[in-house]
Amino acid sequence: MPEIATTASQAHAALVPQEEHLELPHFRIEPKRGWVSVNLKDLWQYRELLFFLAWRDVKVRYKQTALGAAWAVIQPLFTMLLFTLFFGRLAKVPSDGIPYPLFSYTALLPWQLFAYALTESSNSVVANERLITKVYFPRLIVPLASILAGLVDFAIAFVLVLGMMAWYHTVPTWAILTLPFFILFTIITALAVGLWLSALNVQYRDVRYTLTFIVQFWLIASPVAYSATLVPAKWRPFYGLNPMAGVIEGFRWALLGKTPAPGALLWVSVAVVALVLVGGFYYYRRMEKTFADLV
Amino acid sequence: MTALMTDVAIRCEALAKQYEIGERESYRALRDVITDAVSAPFRRLRAAARHSSVPNGSGEKPTIWALKDVSFEIKRGEVVGIIGRNGAGKSTLLKILSRITEPTLGSVDIWGRVGSLLEVGTGFHPELTGRDNIFLNGAILGMKKAEIARKLDEIIAFAEVEKFIDTPVKRYSSGMYVRLAFAVAAHMETEILLVDEVLAVGDAQFQKKCFDKFRQISSGGRAIVFVSHNMAALRTACQSGIVLDRGGVVATGEINAVADQYLAAVSNNRGTESIETETFIVEDVSISSREGPVIKTFDSVEIRVRVFAKTEVQNPGMFVSILTLDNERIAALAFNDFSNIKGLQAGESCELGFRIERFPLLAGEYQMEIDLTDLDHYKVELVNKNYAFEVVESPVYRSRKINRWFGVIGLQAQAFGGPVGTNSSLETSFPGEFPVITES
């Protein structure tokens, strides 16, 4: 039997023209030292896997829960109701002249997206351990896919804000055209931090336990239940060091058009995210070669 | 340069991989790092005071070379088996070739796309349907969506799960699950395929189907690298073999020659380290066929044990038990049931053995347990180590492959039969000896 296989393959090899051999993609595996670049070409080739992993996360989540997609609305809705009661009605937190429910819900939208994306991406490498130890693909796909899955929840929750705007007779201004930018900015902020945490999580499982605390802490530090205008004007750009301040203020402005456009504060946030993101990419790429051995 | 390399699919050069021992099991807690960071300067100071030399960084971490200086070449259209004991570096090699982990030193050049099958059904999700999982698993294995869609019907038919394709795979039987997972992998169209031990799963018929599929793939000019413990499977599937031992390549060449060489080497190695019991020192233990370098079912087999007496032994003897790797006892022999030899003085050595005609064990791995005895002194001393051995090949029952479904013992039988009532059913109308067919 082996003889037959040999002759068959030899015969075949003889028939195959030389050109076909030369077309074969060549790849070299060798130890990489020092800083490595983000391999965008590789990432692009695996874009379908990115989509499939995100699709899996969404599908499985909705299949396993009794309320399914309703969760995407329930969480921000109830948080909004609670905030409206305690901060809006009882504590009378100023809301820049916007009805408090709308004020807090427009902030909760990006916040939920961010919190979900951050949590999921930070746990993503550890959660996909089986994949990472058994098959090759660009490791960046893992946190990216978990973040993409959060967009579905976001889209569902977004429908509600349109209803609320109609209810409060809020007409969006031209600023709404910048909304896609702010959605992207939310995701990138989550990715920037998520890259660091997911890679750290592989080596130090402390990350997993700290994560809930980080998210809680960050929520209070961000202008979700209150307005960034509470911060004195001259200190406000520094508030932008918390990138979620830039995201949320921008979101409110883009969607409702009632608050002033976030100027310096937003640019500080963008700068911070850019720094964390670039660092995150390199840290992640540097650590990823050890993932399969450590996870 | 390219003109010379057109036939090469994989070329490894001086490949090496180093692991920190215990690395895989224990990740570090942040606390350890902080403690390290705090104590390191002091350690350095102390070391500096003592030796005036600074130890490197985190100190002496035990490391192991899972692969060392591995070089070989695999050509297109070749099916190559990687042979070696557990821990020889086979899996590490496969992980490097499939880019899951990076080598510490050396390089691999690969011409063509690589599909790796280190596990059946990587990324399968129990909640998703068979159809969904085909797409997901296909994408994980590096297939394009369009490619999967094109082959979907073929994959479903190959897996024989047509009726259940829209059922979540958590409701599948394990056989169906494996078949589906394998069907996806078998339809990868990469120029190079890496397969780890996965053929051990599934029923015999499906295994054959997969083998045929692999052959079909390799005759299309693709290279396949197989890792398996199943020598018989490697002999049928591969043309050449690479033997790894303790991380290095010890032999390459034609599969049968390499497999025999490996098995002979393994049996030579067995039992050369000396083990002490209270009264004896075991100097050498061997089990070998008198008909060739490897043990095959129904060979004439010899077990030899050489012992050294630490004190006087009046009636030396031994028990030899043969166990499966799961420690299930298959057979036992007591030396004194057969014969007695003269006593030993302290410091004297002797050799004890059994010869077994038509050794009945089927192909597989087994182990020997040895007790040394001096029955006159009521001494039975267990040798604190079991000796592994392998029966390489079994007569093939017609064309089927021997697997554990056949049990561990080969029966020598004759078949007979005929229509009932004609009184011929008890006559051997077509007497058939046990067909002893060894593959050539």
Side-chain angles (χ1 to χ4, degrees):
Chain A
M1 205 58 195
E3 284 89 44
I4 297 166
T6 320
T7 42
S9 66
Q10 278 168 350
H12 188 273
L15 289 172
V16 176
Q18 288 283 306
E19 286 86 334
E20 202 211 69
H21 291 227
L22 297 176
E23 271 172 27
L24 289 177
H26 170 241
F27 185 81
R28 192 180 177 89
I29 300 169
E30 55 190 349
K32 293 179 188 67
R33 311 219 181 274
W35 299 103
V36 277
S37 64
V38 178
N39 192 342
L40 286 177
K41 196 179 141 208
D42 204 18
L43 213 53
W44 176 248
Q45 277 185 340
Y46 276 85
R47 63 191 182 280
E48 284 187 348
L49 179 61
L50 174 67
F51 160 75
F52 271 117
L53 288 181
W55 165 82
R56 174 198 68 179
D57 286 354
V58 173
K59 200 155 183 175
V60 167
R61 194 147 43 92
Y62 289 156
K63 256 192 175 171
Q64 281 177 328
T65 51
L67 292 177
W71 279 115
V73 177
I74 291 171
Q75 285 184 44
L77 182 67
F78 278 72
T79 318
M80 180 267 280
L81 291 176
L82 203 67
F83 278 12
T84 305
L85 179 64
F86 286 99
F87 294 108
R89 289 287 156 82
L90 300 178
K92 304 227 179 329
V93 172
S95 57
D96 299 339
I98 302 163
Y100 193 87
L102 192 57
F103 172 83
S104 58
Y105 194 80
T106 45
L108 280 166
L109 267 181
W111 175 260
Q112 295 275 342
L113 174 60
F114 171 75
Y116 174 90
L118 180 65
T119 315
E120 291 298 307
S121 62
S122 300
N123 285 324
S124 61
V125 176
V126 173
N128 285 290
E129 176 227 327
R130 300 277 295 181
L131 284 191
I132 285 170
T133 53
K134 293 295 177 199
V135 71
Y136 171 80
F137 54 87
R139 303 313 190 198
L140 275 170
I141 296 265
V142 165
L144 281 174
S146 60
I147 287 174
L148 276 192
L151 279 176
V152 178
D153 278 5
F154 176 80
I156 296 166
F158 192 80
V159 178
L160 188 67
V161 85
L162 297 178
M164 287 174 73
M165 283 167 73
W167 175 263
Y168 287 108
H169 303 291
T170 309
V171 182
T173 62
W174 59 267
I176 199 159
L177 295 176
T178 60
L179 195 65
F181 163 77
F182 287 106
I183 296 173
L184 192 67
F185 190 44
T186 315
I187 292 176
I188 291 175
T189 308
L191 178 66
V193 184
L195 284 174
W196 282 97
L197 292 185
S198 58
L200 279 168
N201 200 7
V202 174
Q203 213 172 358
Y204 313 111
R205 298 297 155 98
D206 308 55
V207 171
R208 185 197 287 264
Y209 305 111
T210 337
L211 209 55
T212 26
F213 169 71
I214 293 175
V215 172
Q216 267 175 20
F217 189 80
W218 207 322
L219 171 64
I220 315 250
S222 305
V224 177
Y226 55 88
S227 165
T229 49
L230 282 184
V231 179
K234 63 171 178 177
W235 295 112
R236 217 166 291 154
F238 292 99
Y239 193 29
L241 289 174
N242 169 6
M244 282 313 285
V247 167
I248 291 168
E249 286 299 298
F251 227 83
R252 275 202 188 111
W253 168 73
L255 208 54
L256 308 175
K258 299 233 167 127
T259 46
L265 181 145
L266 179 62
W267 296 119
V268 172
S269 291
V270 170
V272 168
V273 169
L275 270 176
V276 178
L277 183 69
V278 171
F281 266 130
Y282 281 101
Y283 180 67
Y284 189 90
R285 287 281 293 164
R286 206 173 130 92
M287 295 312 290
E288 69 174 23
K289 60 184 172 188
T290 64
F291 284 174
D293 301 333
L294 284 174
V295 139
Chain B
M1 180 163 147
T2 33
L4 282 169
M5 293 182 178
T6 47
D7 271 353
V8 180
I10 300 174
R11 170 177 301 142
C12 283
E13 262 165 292
L15 207 60
K17 173 80 182 178
Q18 189 179 39
Y19 278 114
E20 276 172 24
I21 292 174
E23 189 179 43
R24 252 205 140 276
E25 300 95 78
S26 66
Y27 47 85
R28 302 207 295 168
L30 209 51
R31 171 171 40 89
D32 303 336
V33 182
I34 294 166
T35 340
D36 264 13
V38 171
S39 60
F42 294 103
R43 246 186 297 137
R44 272 164 198 248
L45 275 180
R46 247 179 290 140
R50 252 181 300 164
H51 308 293
S52 71
S53 76
V54 181
N56 59 329
S58 50
E60 56 314 311
K61 263 187 205 152
T63 57
I64 186 170
W65 288 95
L67 284 180
K68 243 177 353 197
D69 199 26
V70 170
S71 304
F72 59 85
E73 220 175 67
I74 293 171
K75 294 196 166 54
R76 286 160 49 79
E78 213 177 2
V79 185
V80 179
I82 310 268
I83 302 168
R85 276 182 274 199
N86 284 334
K90 299 176 308 236
S91 298
T92 306
L93 179 60
L94 225 49
K95 278 192 171 175
I96 291 174
L97 293 182
S98 51
R99 294 173 68 190
I100 291 165
T101 186
E102 255 185 18
T104 313
L105 296 168
S107 68
V108 187
D109 283 287
I110 290 177
W111 285 269
R113 292 178 304 155
V114 178
S116 59
L117 210 53
L118 268 56
E119 180 188 61
V120 169
T122 307
F124 260 44
H125 200 290
E127 292 288 338
L128 299 177
T129 67
R131 190 186 303 274
D132 287 349
N133 270 310
I134 291 178
F135 278 97
L136 180 63
N137 188 230
I140 288 167
L141 294 174
M143 291 158 90
K144 294 267 173 270
K145 194 183 168 190
E147 189 184 340
I148 305 165
R150 187 157 41 80
K151 291 184 184 159
L152 188 64
D153 293 335
E154 206 185 318
I155 292 172
I156 296 169
F158 190 90
E160 302 157 24
V161 291
E162 289 92 340
K163 278 187 203 153
F164 307 96
I165 198 61
D166 290 311
T167 309
V169 296
K170 67 178 174 188
R171 308 211 189 289
Y172 279 29
S173 71
S174 58
M176 283 159 68
Y177 185 95
V178 165
R179 285 207 304 273
L180 182 67
F182 205 94
V184 183
H187 286 79
M188 275 195 291
E189 270 185 357
T190 54
E191 287 83 13
I192 295 161
L193 189 60
L194 310 172
V195 188
D196 189 5
E197 206 67 82
V198 282
L199 285 180
V201 296
D203 55 274
Q205 208 188 342
F206 192 72
Q207 279 185 18
K208 186 178 177 313
K209 199 167 161 181
C210 295
F211 264 121
D212 291 346
K213 186 80 190 169
F214 278 135
R215 284 226 187 80
Q216 200 188 322
I217 294 173
S218 74
S219 61
R222 302 194 174 98
I224 304 181
V225 180
F226 256 124
V227 166
S228 179
H229 281 289
N230 185 344
M231 281 295 159
L234 288 177
R235 280 175 202 258
T236 30
C238 307
Q239 294 134 30
S240 49
I242 295 170
V243 182
L244 291 181
D245 188 36
R246 292 187 204 98
V249 175
V250 290
T252 54
E254 198 271 325
I255 185 73
N256 286 309
V258 164
D260 285 348
Q261 195 184 332
Y262 160 72
L263 289 163
V266 170
S267 33
N268 282 345
N269 283 344
R270 280 177 194 139
T272 45
E273 58 176 313
S274 54
I275 308 271
E276 279 190 55
T277 67
E278 204 189 318
T279 321
F280 302 95
I281 298 174
V282 182
E283 292 178 323
D284 189 41
V285 173
S286 73
I287 175 166
S288 59
S289 167
R290 297 169 63 201
E291 288 159 44
V294 294
I295 303 172
K296 297 175 180 152
T297 309
F298 300 139
D299 275 3
S300 171
V301 163
E302 231 168 41
I303 298 169
R304 286 168 181 274
V305 178
R306 199 170 75 218
V307 291
F308 171 90
K310 292 198 281 188
T311 56
E312 195 198 336
V313 180
Q314 277 182 0
N315 184 11
M318 65 175 177
F319 302 149
V320 172
S321 310
I322 294 174
L323 317 177
T324 63
L325 290 189
D326 305 327
N327 289 319
E328 212 174 312
R329 199 170 298 257
I330 300 165
L333 293 163
F335 189 83
N336 299 91
D337 289 350
F338 295 82
S339 107
N340 292 299
I341 61 166
K342 75 177 180 64
L344 297 171
Q345 297 302 313
E348 231 182 328
S349 287
C350 76
E351 196 168 58
L352 304 168
F354 292 108
R355 188 168 299 158
I356 305 156
E357 297 301 327
R358 312 279 289 167
F359 194 64
L361 296 190
L362 292 179
E365 286 182 74
Y366 302 93
Q367 48 182 342
M368 278 190 295
E369 181 188 283
I370 294 168
D371 298 90
L372 296 171
T373 60
D374 181 359
L375 293 182
D376 290 2
H377 284 130
Y378 306 104
K379 276 181 183 162
V380 176
E381 294 169 6
L382 175 68
V383 176
N384 213 355
K385 179 197 170 191
N386 283 0
Y387 298 86
F389 67 95
E390 188 172 11
V391 178
V392 190
E393 275 174 9
S394 297
V396 177
Y397 290 69
R398 298 291 176 199
S399 62
R400 281 170 298 176
K401 289 246 83 62
I402 293 289
N403 60 26
R404 274 290 164 261
W405 184 86
F406 290 93
V408 290
I409 304 287
L411 295 178
Q412 291 182 281
Q414 288 188 335
F416 58 85
V420 179
T422 58
N423 214 14
S424 68
S425 65
L426 288 177
E427 288 166 24
T428 38
S429 52
F430 51 93
E433 262 288 309
F434 192 105
V436 180
I437 306 162
T438 41
E439 297 219 6
S440 52

